[in-house]
Amino acid sequence: MICVVVEHLRFLATLALQKSGVPQADAASQADLLIEAELRGVPSHGLLRLPRVIRRIENGVADPKSRGMHIWRRDAFLEVDGQCGLGPIVANAALDLLMERVVKTGVAVAAIRNSNHIGMLGWYAECVAARGYTIIALSTSEALVHPWGGRKAMLGTNPIAIGVPTGGHPFVMDAATSLVSMGEIHDHALRGVPIPPDWALDAAGNPTTDAAAAKTGSIAPFGKAKGYALGLGFELLVSSLAAAAIGREVTGTLDDTSVCNKGDLFIVVDGPVRDLQQYLQEIRMAAPAEGFAEVLVPGERGRLLREERLRNGVLLAEDLWEQIRELAATDDVPQN
Amino acid sequence: MICVVVEHLRFLATLALQKSGVPQADAASQADLLIEAELRGVPSHGLLRLPRVIRRIENGVADPKSRGMHIWRRDAFLEVDGQCGLGPIVANAALDLLMERVVKTGVAVAAIRNSNHIGMLGWYAECVAARGYTIIALSTSEALVHPWGGRKAMLGTNPIAIGVPTGGHPFVMDAATSLVSMGEIHDHALRGVPIPPDWALDAAGNPTTDAAAAKTGSIAPFGKAKGYALGLGFELLVSSLAAAAIGREVTGTLDDTSVCNKGDLFIVVDGPVRDLQQYLQEIRMAAPAEGFAEVLVPGERGRLLREERLRNGVLLAEDLWEQIRELAATDDVPQN
């Protein structure tokens, strides 16, 4: 592992994207999203995705210049055809429109199809809640999760993020409806370490502790039947409203060559804002149970980690660092 | 247990509510909600709540005639002061307004405070989705759930229901963010049966298998840290937007004498409607894992049970049946 100063990473990641034809401001946004994930300790959504973003642009399944087509189908319902644009570029353009509209309507929805990987949902929730709005963000993915009681993957990892203004730092929770991420399983496989028996099934649909076997199988939903019900609810909600692909038809967030056909959904509310800090402070100060050092408020460990890493730099695998440097290496000054 | 024909139950429950001053149509709605829970196998939200509704009216903390005050704070944001009205009466009045409004706005939100227990959220989701709209329904409750890693109850059971039109029967999922309901713990205590070790903590915040001790303690969130994050997100979202009580301040869904100050939130969307039946059929037909007889689609077991019970009647505890008969017994014809 190598420790890299954040501003250096930001510069190189932005440059690498500009070299691929992404306009400077959009390149900075896409780089920010990946770096925010590194800062908050979510490397599965971090810079390891940068080479893929660039290969997808080279392969013509991601359009470096598109911001998507945003159409108000109703006063507060924004239909978004991402037109193969980069996930955060299309999403941020949608969120800007929603935040403008909710001042009049109180609530507005964006349903996004045909946009690339949106990355860490919590980032959007944090940005929107920091501006005083409440947000629910949903997204779907390739089928990686088996139904509770099933043998094969039929659902995406279908994360949800909720952002709420609190009077202090926004509250942000961000969690997939899978028990673990496929990234964690790949990480165990890479290190040759077995996975716990309840994490995943192999390709035949039998429980396995072999991480390599789980890679071609399916992940359990979190929270058994309830988490499955929730993940399925999100799958239906998002794919229906966004007119996006569903279940095993979804492609394009894990490969370099397929159009990305999953859906994203944002619900932004301009409602009463309230001071929630006392309640959150009571939770932080609550006596921890046996075996716990403290009671955590979701999102806050990531925020502390972020501050530490902004000061001290981000740890990256050396080969990833090498890749980023190569992707950014250039004799030309980018012309966009 | 005694088996009672549904229409007879409906008649008596409606009559009992009319006797307490609830207008006939509203009495029928409130009775329907409780009976739907019995039909779908959710007795914790069923007729055992009828005597409490009536005692709360007698004690002046539920207003039998109020439908609440519904004000459009923005084009698509409905602020609802329930004015101590019955949960389903205030909620249905709000949903009628939302379904009218979304035809123009595409999405609309109702944030409800000061309304009584809303009952089984899935019922609302089913009614709205059956009319072609997509819905997310949230509600809070008394603090019964401990934060993950905490010792005492600081969160409501905070259920979510999602309803999505499918082209056939609507998809409806409805789940609390607690691992189990307090009703299940009471049921174990009543039968003198121990509870599993991960269900609950006692009043001192230590794990217990003694159901009686758990009654004065706290329930675990479902799905460990993720379910806690979700339940806390819902608590903040609902109480903030509805300007309702939060955490341990919440009262009035489990007692007969306190004003009910929790919040409810409905998000209704009039978006593209899609045929989701093939996907749901693939899930139903999927090979079950070892130890499972079949793969279930959430809500469908309850729907089958409902059909069976509509034909064959509902099983009720004899003392509850006796109470309902007494509450409905009258020499007068109700005058409302």
Side-chain angles (χ1 to χ4, degrees), chain A residues 74-76 103-105 149 154 178 226 228 239 244 270 274 279 289 296, chain B residues 74-76 103-105 149 154 178 226 228 239 244 270 274 279 289 296:
Chain A
R74 307 282 175 84
D75 291 357
V103 176
K104 179 169 183 292
T105 57
M154 301 185 77
S178 54
K226 284 193 183 197
Y228 157 55
S239 65
D270 182 20
R274 180 170 169 185
Y279 175 61
L296 296 169
Chain B
R74 306 282 175 85
D75 291 357
V103 176
K104 180 169 183 293
T105 58
M154 301 185 77
S178 54
K226 285 193 181 195
Y228 156 55
S239 65
D270 181 21
R274 180 167 168 188
Y279 175 61
L296 296 169

PDB file of all heavy atoms in Angstrom, chain A residues 74-76 103-105 149 154 178 226 228 239 244 270 274 279 289 296, chain B residues 74-76 103-105 149 154 178 226 228 239 244 270 274 279 289 296:
ATOM      1  N   ARG A  74     -44.122  15.614 -15.379  1.00  0.00           N
ATOM      2  CA  ARG A  74     -45.152  16.306 -14.601  1.00  0.00           C
ATOM      3  C   ARG A  74     -44.420  17.401 -13.826  1.00  0.00           C
ATOM      4  O   ARG A  74     -43.193  17.447 -13.813  1.00  0.00           O
ATOM      5  CB  ARG A  74     -45.840  15.352 -13.602  1.00  0.00           C
ATOM      6  CG  ARG A  74     -46.390  14.087 -14.209  1.00  0.00           C
ATOM      7  CD  ARG A  74     -47.720  14.352 -14.930  1.00  0.00           C
ATOM      8  NE  ARG A  74     -48.166  13.129 -15.604  1.00  0.00           N
ATOM      9  CZ  ARG A  74     -48.855  12.159 -15.005  1.00  0.00           C
ATOM     10  NH1 ARG A  74     -49.189  12.278 -13.740  1.00  0.00           N
ATOM     11  NH2 ARG A  74     -49.205  11.089 -15.674  1.00  0.00           N
ATOM     12  N   ASP A  75     -45.191  18.223 -13.102  1.00  0.00           N
ATOM     13  CA  ASP A  75     -44.590  19.357 -12.380  1.00  0.00           C
ATOM     14  C   ASP A  75     -43.411  18.943 -11.498  1.00  0.00           C
ATOM     15  O   ASP A  75     -42.464  19.712 -11.321  1.00  0.00           O
ATOM     16  CB  ASP A  75     -45.632  20.031 -11.474  1.00  0.00           C
ATOM     17  CG  ASP A  75     -46.702  20.742 -12.272  1.00  0.00           C
ATOM     18  OD1 ASP A  75     -46.597  20.760 -13.517  1.00  0.00           O
ATOM     19  OD2 ASP A  75     -47.647  21.275 -11.659  1.00  0.00           O
ATOM     20  N   ALA A  76     -43.501  17.753 -10.909  1.00  0.00           N
ATOM     21  CA  ALA A  76     -42.484  17.358  -9.926  1.00  0.00           C
ATOM     22  C   ALA A  76     -41.903  15.979 -10.224  1.00  0.00           C
ATOM     23  O   ALA A  76     -41.304  15.355  -9.361  1.00  0.00           O
ATOM     24  CB  ALA A  76     -43.084  17.388  -8.516  1.00  0.00           C
ATOM     25  N   VAL A 103     -38.519  23.972  -4.218  1.00  0.00           N
ATOM     26  CA  VAL A 103     -38.856  25.214  -3.529  1.00  0.00           C
ATOM     27  C   VAL A 103     -40.324  25.552  -3.801  1.00  0.00           C
ATOM     28  O   VAL A 103     -41.035  26.064  -2.933  1.00  0.00           O
ATOM     29  CB  VAL A 103     -37.922  26.356  -3.989  1.00  0.00           C
ATOM     30  CG1 VAL A 103     -38.319  27.676  -3.357  1.00  0.00           C
ATOM     31  CG2 VAL A 103     -36.477  25.997  -3.662  1.00  0.00           C
ATOM     32  N   LYS A 104     -40.803  25.191  -4.988  1.00  0.00           N
ATOM     33  CA  LYS A 104     -42.198  25.433  -5.342  1.00  0.00           C
ATOM     34  C   LYS A 104     -43.102  24.246  -4.978  1.00  0.00           C
ATOM     35  O   LYS A 104     -44.207  24.425  -4.490  1.00  0.00           O
ATOM     36  CB  LYS A 104     -42.276  25.712  -6.854  1.00  0.00           C
ATOM     37  CG  LYS A 104     -43.681  25.958  -7.366  1.00  0.00           C
ATOM     38  CD  LYS A 104     -43.665  26.495  -8.794  1.00  0.00           C
ATOM     39  CE  LYS A 104     -45.081  26.797  -9.271  1.00  0.00           C
ATOM     40  NZ  LYS A 104     -45.892  25.599  -9.450  1.00  0.00           N
ATOM     41  N   THR A 105     -42.610  23.034  -5.240  1.00  0.00           N
ATOM     42  CA  THR A 105     -43.508  21.874  -5.138  1.00  0.00           C
ATOM     43  C   THR A 105     -43.404  21.147  -3.794  1.00  0.00           C
ATOM     44  O   THR A 105     -44.278  20.358  -3.457  1.00  0.00           O
ATOM     45  CB  THR A 105     -43.201  20.860  -6.264  1.00  0.00           C
ATOM     46  OG1 THR A 105     -41.819  20.478  -6.178  1.00  0.00           O
ATOM     47  CG2 THR A 105     -43.477  21.468  -7.627  1.00  0.00           C
ATOM     48  N   GLY A 149     -34.472 -17.696   0.603  1.00  0.00           N
ATOM     49  CA  GLY A 149     -35.043 -19.015   0.295  1.00  0.00           C
ATOM     50  C   GLY A 149     -34.771 -19.467  -1.126  1.00  0.00           C
ATOM     51  O   GLY A 149     -35.177 -20.557  -1.510  1.00  0.00           O
ATOM     52  N   MET A 154     -31.113 -12.944  -8.259  1.00  0.00           N
ATOM     53  CA  MET A 154     -32.215 -12.401  -9.047  1.00  0.00           C
ATOM     54  C   MET A 154     -32.481 -10.934  -8.735  1.00  0.00           C
ATOM     55  O   MET A 154     -33.363 -10.322  -9.338  1.00  0.00           O
ATOM     56  CB  MET A 154     -33.485 -13.216  -8.798  1.00  0.00           C
ATOM     57  CG  MET A 154     -33.326 -14.686  -9.146  1.00  0.00           C
ATOM     58  SD  MET A 154     -34.864 -15.616  -8.986  1.00  0.00           S
ATOM     59  CE  MET A 154     -35.720 -15.103 -10.480  1.00  0.00           C
ATOM     60  N   SER A 178     -27.916  -5.966   0.244  1.00  0.00           N
ATOM     61  CA  SER A 178     -27.191  -7.241   0.321  1.00  0.00           C
ATOM     62  C   SER A 178     -26.480  -7.300   1.672  1.00  0.00           C
ATOM     63  O   SER A 178     -26.183  -6.271   2.265  1.00  0.00           O
ATOM     64  CB  SER A 178     -26.180  -7.346  -0.810  1.00  0.00           C
ATOM     65  OG  SER A 178     -25.326  -6.219  -0.810  1.00  0.00           O
ATOM     66  N   LYS A 226     -36.851 -10.007   5.679  1.00  0.00           N
ATOM     67  CA  LYS A 226     -37.201  -8.574   5.647  1.00  0.00           C
ATOM     68  C   LYS A 226     -36.310  -7.801   4.680  1.00  0.00           C
ATOM     69  O   LYS A 226     -36.783  -6.944   3.939  1.00  0.00           O
ATOM     70  CB  LYS A 226     -37.055  -7.959   7.042  1.00  0.00           C
ATOM     71  CG  LYS A 226     -38.172  -8.326   7.984  1.00  0.00           C
ATOM     72  CD  LYS A 226     -38.145  -7.439   9.223  1.00  0.00           C
ATOM     73  CE  LYS A 226     -39.249  -7.913  10.164  1.00  0.00           C
ATOM     74  NZ  LYS A 226     -39.577  -6.930  11.189  1.00  0.00           N
ATOM     75  N   TYR A 228     -34.732  -9.024   2.152  1.00  0.00           N
ATOM     76  CA  TYR A 228     -35.130  -9.462   0.800  1.00  0.00           C
ATOM     77  C   TYR A 228     -36.355  -8.684   0.328  1.00  0.00           C
ATOM     78  O   TYR A 228     -36.392  -8.171  -0.800  1.00  0.00           O
ATOM     79  CB  TYR A 228     -35.381 -10.974   0.810  1.00  0.00           C
ATOM     80  CG  TYR A 228     -36.288 -11.490  -0.288  1.00  0.00           C
ATOM     81  CD1 TYR A 228     -36.024 -11.234  -1.636  1.00  0.00           C
ATOM     82  CD2 TYR A 228     -37.416 -12.253   0.020  1.00  0.00           C
ATOM     83  CE1 TYR A 228     -36.858 -11.706  -2.641  1.00  0.00           C
ATOM     84  CE2 TYR A 228     -38.259 -12.738  -0.975  1.00  0.00           C
ATOM     85  CZ  TYR A 228     -37.989 -12.456  -2.301  1.00  0.00           C
ATOM     86  OH  TYR A 228     -38.825 -12.919  -3.283  1.00  0.00           O
ATOM     87  N   SER A 239     -37.004   0.211 -11.024  1.00  0.00           N
ATOM     88  CA  SER A 239     -37.013  -0.181 -12.432  1.00  0.00           C
ATOM     89  C   SER A 239     -38.340   0.198 -13.079  1.00  0.00           C
ATOM     90  O   SER A 239     -38.388   0.515 -14.264  1.00  0.00           O
ATOM     91  CB  SER A 239     -36.714  -1.667 -12.585  1.00  0.00           C
ATOM     92  OG  SER A 239     -37.731  -2.418 -12.001  1.00  0.00           O
ATOM     93  N   ALA A 244     -36.286   1.144 -16.323  1.00  0.00           N
ATOM     94  CA  ALA A 244     -34.942   0.564 -16.445  1.00  0.00           C
ATOM     95  C   ALA A 244     -35.051  -0.961 -16.455  1.00  0.00           C
ATOM     96  O   ALA A 244     -36.116  -1.522 -16.217  1.00  0.00           O
ATOM     97  CB  ALA A 244     -34.081   1.030 -15.275  1.00  0.00           C
ATOM     98  N   ASP A 270     -38.437  19.418   0.234  1.00  0.00           N
ATOM     99  CA  ASP A 270     -38.160  20.675   0.921  1.00  0.00           C
ATOM    100  C   ASP A 270     -39.234  20.836   1.978  1.00  0.00           C
ATOM    101  O   ASP A 270     -40.270  21.444   1.750  1.00  0.00           O
ATOM    102  CB  ASP A 270     -38.186  21.838  -0.077  1.00  0.00           C
ATOM    103  CG  ASP A 270     -37.851  23.164   0.600  1.00  0.00           C
ATOM    104  OD1 ASP A 270     -37.260  23.135   1.687  1.00  0.00           O
ATOM    105  OD2 ASP A 270     -38.196  24.216   0.028  1.00  0.00           O
ATOM    106  N   ARG A 274     -35.513  20.752  11.032  1.00  0.00           N
ATOM    107  CA  ARG A 274     -35.626  20.692  12.478  1.00  0.00           C
ATOM    108  C   ARG A 274     -34.271  20.425  13.102  1.00  0.00           C
ATOM    109  O   ARG A 274     -33.434  19.769  12.496  1.00  0.00           O
ATOM    110  CB  ARG A 274     -36.563  19.529  12.752  1.00  0.00           C
ATOM    111  CG  ARG A 274     -36.830  19.291  14.190  1.00  0.00           C
ATOM    112  CD  ARG A 274     -37.941  18.301  14.270  1.00  0.00           C
ATOM    113  NE  ARG A 274     -38.080  17.836  15.626  1.00  0.00           N
ATOM    114  CZ  ARG A 274     -38.898  16.896  15.977  1.00  0.00           C
ATOM    115  NH1 ARG A 274     -39.662  16.309  15.055  1.00  0.00           N
ATOM    116  NH2 ARG A 274     -38.986  16.504  17.215  1.00  0.00           N
ATOM    117  N   TYR A 279     -31.245  14.702  19.932  1.00  0.00           N
ATOM    118  CA  TYR A 279     -31.567  13.277  19.827  1.00  0.00           C
ATOM    119  C   TYR A 279     -30.341  12.471  19.377  1.00  0.00           C
ATOM    120  O   TYR A 279     -30.013  11.431  19.952  1.00  0.00           O
ATOM    121  CB  TYR A 279     -32.738  13.099  18.855  1.00  0.00           C
ATOM    122  CG  TYR A 279     -33.108  11.672  18.544  1.00  0.00           C
ATOM    123  CD1 TYR A 279     -33.529  10.807  19.550  1.00  0.00           C
ATOM    124  CD2 TYR A 279     -33.042  11.185  17.235  1.00  0.00           C
ATOM    125  CE1 TYR A 279     -33.884   9.489  19.256  1.00  0.00           C
ATOM    126  CE2 TYR A 279     -33.397   9.879  16.943  1.00  0.00           C
ATOM    127  CZ  TYR A 279     -33.819   9.039  17.952  1.00  0.00           C
ATOM    128  OH  TYR A 279     -34.159   7.742  17.658  1.00  0.00           O
ATOM    129  N   ALA A 289     -23.705  -1.616  24.613  1.00  0.00           N
ATOM    130  CA  ALA A 289     -23.969  -2.991  25.054  1.00  0.00           C
ATOM    131  C   ALA A 289     -22.646  -3.728  25.230  1.00  0.00           C
ATOM    132  O   ALA A 289     -21.592  -3.271  24.765  1.00  0.00           O
ATOM    133  CB  ALA A 289     -24.840  -3.695  24.017  1.00  0.00           C
ATOM    134  N   LEU A 296     -22.827   4.041  17.667  1.00  0.00           N
ATOM    135  CA  LEU A 296     -22.491   4.892  16.524  1.00  0.00           C
ATOM    136  C   LEU A 296     -23.735   5.460  15.860  1.00  0.00           C
ATOM    137  O   LEU A 296     -24.786   4.809  15.820  1.00  0.00           O
ATOM    138  CB  LEU A 296     -21.711   4.078  15.492  1.00  0.00           C
ATOM    139  CG  LEU A 296     -20.345   3.552  15.950  1.00  0.00           C
ATOM    140  CD1 LEU A 296     -19.801   2.539  14.951  1.00  0.00           C
ATOM    141  CD2 LEU A 296     -19.358   4.710  16.116  1.00  0.00           C
TER     142      LEU A 296
ATOM    143  N   ARG B  74     -46.991  23.291   0.007  1.00  0.00           N
ATOM    144  CA  ARG B  74     -46.457  23.559  -1.331  1.00  0.00           C
ATOM    145  C   ARG B  74     -47.338  22.766  -2.288  1.00  0.00           C
ATOM    146  O   ARG B  74     -48.169  21.972  -1.861  1.00  0.00           O
ATOM    147  CB  ARG B  74     -45.000  23.062  -1.456  1.00  0.00           C
ATOM    148  CG  ARG B  74     -44.054  23.587  -0.405  1.00  0.00           C
ATOM    149  CD  ARG B  74     -43.613  25.021  -0.707  1.00  0.00           C
ATOM    150  NE  ARG B  74     -42.789  25.510   0.403  1.00  0.00           N
ATOM    151  CZ  ARG B  74     -41.486  25.291   0.516  1.00  0.00           C
ATOM    152  NH1 ARG B  74     -40.850  24.603  -0.413  1.00  0.00           N
ATOM    153  NH2 ARG B  74     -40.815  25.770   1.541  1.00  0.00           N
ATOM    154  N   ASP B  75     -47.079  22.913  -3.588  1.00  0.00           N
ATOM    155  CA  ASP B  75     -47.937  22.256  -4.592  1.00  0.00           C
ATOM    156  C   ASP B  75     -48.103  20.758  -4.336  1.00  0.00           C
ATOM    157  O   ASP B  75     -49.149  20.182  -4.629  1.00  0.00           O
ATOM    158  CB  ASP B  75     -47.333  22.415  -5.993  1.00  0.00           C
ATOM    159  CG  ASP B  75     -47.398  23.859  -6.470  1.00  0.00           C
ATOM    160  OD1 ASP B  75     -47.961  24.701  -5.741  1.00  0.00           O
ATOM    161  OD2 ASP B  75     -46.873  24.140  -7.569  1.00  0.00           O
ATOM    162  N   ALA B  76     -47.056  20.119  -3.836  1.00  0.00           N
ATOM    163  CA  ALA B  76     -47.092  18.662  -3.701  1.00  0.00           C
ATOM    164  C   ALA B  76     -46.696  18.196  -2.302  1.00  0.00           C
ATOM    165  O   ALA B  76     -46.360  17.038  -2.091  1.00  0.00           O
ATOM    166  CB  ALA B  76     -46.180  18.016  -4.753  1.00  0.00           C
ATOM    167  N   VAL B 103     -51.771  13.404 -10.221  1.00  0.00           N
ATOM    168  CA  VAL B 103     -52.087  13.395 -11.644  1.00  0.00           C
ATOM    169  C   VAL B 103     -51.443  14.620 -12.300  1.00  0.00           C
ATOM    170  O   VAL B 103     -50.968  14.552 -13.433  1.00  0.00           O
ATOM    171  CB  VAL B 103     -53.621  13.379 -11.857  1.00  0.00           C
ATOM    172  CG1 VAL B 103     -53.971  13.480 -13.334  1.00  0.00           C
ATOM    173  CG2 VAL B 103     -54.215  12.132 -11.227  1.00  0.00           C
ATOM    174  N   LYS B 104     -51.358  15.704 -11.557  1.00  0.00           N
ATOM    175  CA  LYS B 104     -50.727  16.926 -12.060  1.00  0.00           C
ATOM    176  C   LYS B 104     -49.223  16.980 -11.752  1.00  0.00           C
ATOM    177  O   LYS B 104     -48.423  17.367 -12.592  1.00  0.00           O
ATOM    178  CB  LYS B 104     -51.432  18.137 -11.443  1.00  0.00           C
ATOM    179  CG  LYS B 104     -50.867  19.481 -11.886  1.00  0.00           C
ATOM    180  CD  LYS B 104     -51.773  20.624 -11.458  1.00  0.00           C
ATOM    181  CE  LYS B 104     -51.238  21.955 -11.957  1.00  0.00           C
ATOM    182  NZ  LYS B 104     -49.976  22.347 -11.318  1.00  0.00           N
ATOM    183  N   THR B 105     -48.862  16.579 -10.529  1.00  0.00           N
ATOM    184  CA  THR B 105     -47.481  16.818 -10.080  1.00  0.00           C
ATOM    185  C   THR B 105     -46.561  15.613 -10.262  1.00  0.00           C
ATOM    186  O   THR B 105     -45.346  15.755 -10.217  1.00  0.00           O
ATOM    187  CB  THR B 105     -47.470  17.226  -8.590  1.00  0.00           C
ATOM    188  OG1 THR B 105     -48.101  16.186  -7.829  1.00  0.00           O
ATOM    189  CG2 THR B 105     -48.194  18.539  -8.377  1.00  0.00           C
ATOM    190  N   GLY B 149     -25.696  -1.987  19.104  1.00  0.00           N
ATOM    191  CA  GLY B 149     -24.598  -1.686  20.018  1.00  0.00           C
ATOM    192  C   GLY B 149     -25.033  -0.923  21.251  1.00  0.00           C
ATOM    193  O   GLY B 149     -24.211  -0.621  22.106  1.00  0.00           O
ATOM    194  N   MET B 154     -34.401   3.374  21.922  1.00  0.00           N
ATOM    195  CA  MET B 154     -34.324   4.782  21.542  1.00  0.00           C
ATOM    196  C   MET B 154     -34.976   5.057  20.188  1.00  0.00           C
ATOM    197  O   MET B 154     -35.025   6.198  19.734  1.00  0.00           O
ATOM    198  CB  MET B 154     -32.860   5.233  21.497  1.00  0.00           C
ATOM    199  CG  MET B 154     -32.151   5.053  22.832  1.00  0.00           C
ATOM    200  SD  MET B 154     -30.473   5.719  22.810  1.00  0.00           S
ATOM    201  CE  MET B 154     -30.820   7.477  22.964  1.00  0.00           C
ATOM    202  N   SER B 178     -37.742  -3.358  13.261  1.00  0.00           N
ATOM    203  CA  SER B 178     -37.366  -4.165  14.429  1.00  0.00           C
ATOM    204  C   SER B 178     -37.276  -5.623  13.992  1.00  0.00           C
ATOM    205  O   SER B 178     -37.909  -6.027  13.019  1.00  0.00           O
ATOM    206  CB  SER B 178     -38.403  -4.012  15.538  1.00  0.00           C
ATOM    207  OG  SER B 178     -39.695  -4.317  15.039  1.00  0.00           O
ATOM    208  N   LYS B 226     -27.141  -2.470   9.706  1.00  0.00           N
ATOM    209  CA  LYS B 226     -27.841  -1.901   8.547  1.00  0.00           C
ATOM    210  C   LYS B 226     -29.299  -1.592   8.868  1.00  0.00           C
ATOM    211  O   LYS B 226     -29.827  -0.555   8.472  1.00  0.00           O
ATOM    212  CB  LYS B 226     -27.794  -2.879   7.370  1.00  0.00           C
ATOM    213  CG  LYS B 226     -26.458  -2.934   6.686  1.00  0.00           C
ATOM    214  CD  LYS B 226     -26.558  -3.659   5.345  1.00  0.00           C
ATOM    215  CE  LYS B 226     -25.177  -3.715   4.718  1.00  0.00           C
ATOM    216  NZ  LYS B 226     -25.210  -4.076   3.301  1.00  0.00           N
ATOM    217  N   TYR B 228     -30.520  -1.034  11.800  1.00  0.00           N
ATOM    218  CA  TYR B 228     -30.501   0.109  12.734  1.00  0.00           C
ATOM    219  C   TYR B 228     -30.373   1.414  11.954  1.00  0.00           C
ATOM    220  O   TYR B 228     -31.115   2.384  12.201  1.00  0.00           O
ATOM    221  CB  TYR B 228     -29.353  -0.070  13.735  1.00  0.00           C
ATOM    222  CG  TYR B 228     -28.848   1.203  14.372  1.00  0.00           C
ATOM    223  CD1 TYR B 228     -29.710   2.078  15.043  1.00  0.00           C
ATOM    224  CD2 TYR B 228     -27.495   1.544  14.315  1.00  0.00           C
ATOM    225  CE1 TYR B 228     -29.234   3.244  15.622  1.00  0.00           C
ATOM    226  CE2 TYR B 228     -27.010   2.709  14.901  1.00  0.00           C
ATOM    227  CZ  TYR B 228     -27.886   3.568  15.544  1.00  0.00           C
ATOM    228  OH  TYR B 228     -27.413   4.726  16.110  1.00  0.00           O
ATOM    229  N   SER B 239     -40.062  12.118  11.579  1.00  0.00           N
ATOM    230  CA  SER B 239     -40.348  13.066  12.657  1.00  0.00           C
ATOM    231  C   SER B 239     -39.964  14.476  12.235  1.00  0.00           C
ATOM    232  O   SER B 239     -40.603  15.439  12.649  1.00  0.00           O
ATOM    233  CB  SER B 239     -39.648  12.651  13.945  1.00  0.00           C
ATOM    234  OG  SER B 239     -38.265  12.713  13.764  1.00  0.00           O
ATOM    235  N   ALA B 244     -43.184  15.728  14.153  1.00  0.00           N
ATOM    236  CA  ALA B 244     -43.753  14.833  15.165  1.00  0.00           C
ATOM    237  C   ALA B 244     -42.708  14.572  16.247  1.00  0.00           C
ATOM    238  O   ALA B 244     -41.546  14.958  16.119  1.00  0.00           O
ATOM    239  CB  ALA B 244     -44.171  13.521  14.502  1.00  0.00           C
ATOM    240  N   ASP B 270     -47.174   9.071  -9.357  1.00  0.00           N
ATOM    241  CA  ASP B 270     -47.906   8.678 -10.557  1.00  0.00           C
ATOM    242  C   ASP B 270     -46.883   8.639 -11.684  1.00  0.00           C
ATOM    243  O   ASP B 270     -46.684   9.613 -12.400  1.00  0.00           O
ATOM    244  CB  ASP B 270     -49.019   9.691 -10.851  1.00  0.00           C
ATOM    245  CG  ASP B 270     -49.820   9.296 -12.080  1.00  0.00           C
ATOM    246  OD1 ASP B 270     -49.789   8.109 -12.457  1.00  0.00           O
ATOM    247  OD2 ASP B 270     -50.486  10.179 -12.649  1.00  0.00           O
ATOM    248  N   ARG B 274     -45.788  -0.416 -15.290  1.00  0.00           N
ATOM    249  CA  ARG B 274     -45.113  -1.408 -16.095  1.00  0.00           C
ATOM    250  C   ARG B 274     -45.588  -2.801 -15.719  1.00  0.00           C
ATOM    251  O   ARG B 274     -45.958  -3.039 -14.587  1.00  0.00           O
ATOM    252  CB  ARG B 274     -43.634  -1.271 -15.753  1.00  0.00           C
ATOM    253  CG  ARG B 274     -42.751  -2.201 -16.485  1.00  0.00           C
ATOM    254  CD  ARG B 274     -41.350  -1.743 -16.281  1.00  0.00           C
ATOM    255  NE  ARG B 274     -40.434  -2.748 -16.734  1.00  0.00           N
ATOM    256  CZ  ARG B 274     -39.148  -2.692 -16.541  1.00  0.00           C
ATOM    257  NH1 ARG B 274     -38.634  -1.665 -15.894  1.00  0.00           N
ATOM    258  NH2 ARG B 274     -38.367  -3.639 -16.983  1.00  0.00           N
ATOM    259  N   TYR B 279     -41.276 -11.013 -14.208  1.00  0.00           N
ATOM    260  CA  TYR B 279     -40.182 -11.048 -13.228  1.00  0.00           C
ATOM    261  C   TYR B 279     -40.644 -11.692 -11.916  1.00  0.00           C
ATOM    262  O   TYR B 279     -39.964 -12.564 -11.355  1.00  0.00           O
ATOM    263  CB  TYR B 279     -39.680  -9.628 -13.003  1.00  0.00           C
ATOM    264  CG  TYR B 279     -38.625  -9.472 -11.930  1.00  0.00           C
ATOM    265  CD1 TYR B 279     -37.398 -10.114 -12.018  1.00  0.00           C
ATOM    266  CD2 TYR B 279     -38.861  -8.660 -10.813  1.00  0.00           C
ATOM    267  CE1 TYR B 279     -36.431  -9.964 -11.030  1.00  0.00           C
ATOM    268  CE2 TYR B 279     -37.900  -8.496  -9.828  1.00  0.00           C
ATOM    269  CZ  TYR B 279     -36.690  -9.157  -9.941  1.00  0.00           C
ATOM    270  OH  TYR B 279     -35.741  -8.998  -8.957  1.00  0.00           O
ATOM    271  N   ALA B 289     -33.903 -22.929  -2.011  1.00  0.00           N
ATOM    272  CA  ALA B 289     -32.671 -23.385  -1.354  1.00  0.00           C
ATOM    273  C   ALA B 289     -32.999 -24.534  -0.400  1.00  0.00           C
ATOM    274  O   ALA B 289     -34.163 -24.773  -0.067  1.00  0.00           O
ATOM    275  CB  ALA B 289     -32.037 -22.222  -0.599  1.00  0.00           C
ATOM    276  N   LEU B 296     -40.815 -17.164  -1.909  1.00  0.00           N
ATOM    277  CA  LEU B 296     -42.025 -16.362  -1.749  1.00  0.00           C
ATOM    278  C   LEU B 296     -41.826 -14.946  -2.277  1.00  0.00           C
ATOM    279  O   LEU B 296     -40.738 -14.383  -2.179  1.00  0.00           O
ATOM    280  CB  LEU B 296     -42.405 -16.285  -0.274  1.00  0.00           C
ATOM    281  CG  LEU B 296     -42.795 -17.618   0.384  1.00  0.00           C
ATOM    282  CD1 LEU B 296     -42.877 -17.466   1.899  1.00  0.00           C
ATOM    283  CD2 LEU B 296     -44.120 -18.128  -0.173  1.00  0.00           C
TER     284      LEU B 296
END
